[in-house]
Amino acid sequence: MEIGAGVCRPSGAPLCETCPLRSFCGAYAALQAGTIPAIESIIPLKAARMKKRDEHVVSVIHELPSETGRKFVVVRRPEDGLLGGMLEFPSVVCLATQAVEVSATLSCACTSLKRVGSFKHIFSHVDMTVDVFHAKWAVPEKAASGSSKKPVGNKESLEKSVKAAVVKALNDLNNQKVNVDSVSVKTEDELKQSATSRVLWKSFELIGGAPKTTKKRSRSSITE
């Protein structure tokens, strides 16, 4: 470390002639061989910056009927990649011009669908624009006595059918296999106790949800 600061030097020409490690230095060997014209401003090599990409996402918040608090369909992202392993509302990357069409498919013919807004979220290599839609579900009323209609289910059966419909829609839109086990139904309180991304909570705020609050950790709870 002292050699790096005093001999190699962070700025200006390095003092190679006085360096005790000169015979082991790849940069000095390259300079002597004429591979590089100088060491300063060239070594160390600067990594090329990753070019940012723009991404448009349609996210549909499926809200299910509940007497014990608001309940929502969420999807766990793959462990590898952006926001790995975190929960999100069912979402699809698409062109901005496809947003309405994609939302119609991803809403799974819900009782009520409404666009509630959009926001931008900036990652180190992605500028993401998220279009948010709110899909509200209701348990269909029971068929009248003597009706030829099939009897409808309860809230539990509705949850199962909506989850299955979301899996199918994601598979159709993403053209890839979505694991059924990655789709679940959680209450607002359960979401606050789960590994969720800031993108989910930004979406949630658009339907009047309270943002997730992070408790301040005491100094004793911080692991160095």
Side-chain angles (χ1 to χ4, degrees):
M1 189 171 181
E2 291 180 0
I3 290 178
V7 179
C8 299
R9 303 200 299 178
S11 61
L15 305 177
C16 297
E17 300 304 324
T18 62
C19 180
L21 301 178
R22 183 178 60 187
S23 59
F24 304 101
C25 179
Y28 182 76
L31 179 65
Q32 296 301 305
T35 307
I36 57 175
I39 293 178
E40 61 271 24
S41 302
I42 297 178
I43 303 296
L45 298 176
K46 294 182 179 179
R49 286 189 175 183
M50 184 181 295
K51 186 177 180 180
K52 273 196 171 187
R53 70 175 189 272
D54 293 324
E55 197 169 86
H56 193 95
V57 175
V58 167
S59 182
V60 177
I61 304 174
H62 289 267
E63 183 171 356
L64 299 169
S66 172
E67 297 173 355
T68 58
R70 305 176 79 180
K71 299 179 76 173
F72 305 93
V73 176
V74 289
V75 181
R76 187 172 300 281
R77 294 179 64 91
E79 291 296 333
D80 56 332
L82 187 66
L83 303 176
M86 289 188 171
L87 295 178
E88 67 177 3
F89 295 122
S91 303
V92 172
V93 177
C94 66
L95 298 176
T97 54
Q98 298 174 318
V100 174
E101 179 183 353
V102 169
S103 66
T105 301
L106 195 53
S107 67
C108 307
C110 65
T111 309
S112 170
L113 178 66
K114 179 182 179 182
R115 184 181 183 277
V116 292
S118 65
F119 62 87
K120 283 195 173 184
H121 194 79
I122 309 300
F123 295 93
S124 60
H125 59 293
V126 178
D127 286 347
M128 181 183 290
T129 300
V130 184
D131 259 331
V132 183
F133 294 78
H134 188 196
K136 296 191 72 173
W137 291 85
V139 177
E141 296 181 1
K142 293 183 179 180
S145 178
S147 171
S148 59
K149 292 183 179 179
K150 294 182 179 180
V152 296
N154 52 25
K155 293 176 182 177
E156 288 73 20
S157 61
L158 176 64
E159 287 185 11
K160 291 181 181 179
S161 62
V162 172
K163 284 170 57 179
V166 167
V167 170
K168 183 180 185 306
L170 289 173
N171 283 332
D172 291 343
L173 291 168
N174 288 326
N175 196 26
Q176 62 185 17
K177 183 66 176 177
V178 174
N179 189 342
V180 177
D181 295 333
S182 66
V183 180
S184 59
V185 174
K186 291 187 179 293
T187 65
E188 182 176 348
D189 287 339
E190 287 173 334
L191 284 176
K192 290 180 178 179
Q193 301 301 319
S194 304
T196 52
S197 72
R198 180 65 182 134
V199 174
L200 180 146
W201 292 105
K202 281 186 175 181
S203 301
F204 194 47
E205 289 176 34
L206 291 176
I207 61 168
K212 183 178 182 180
T213 56
T214 304
K215 294 182 179 179
K216 292 184 178 180
R217 296 181 298 174
S218 63
R219 184 177 295 274
S220 60
S221 68
I222 299 175
T223 303
E224 298 294 343

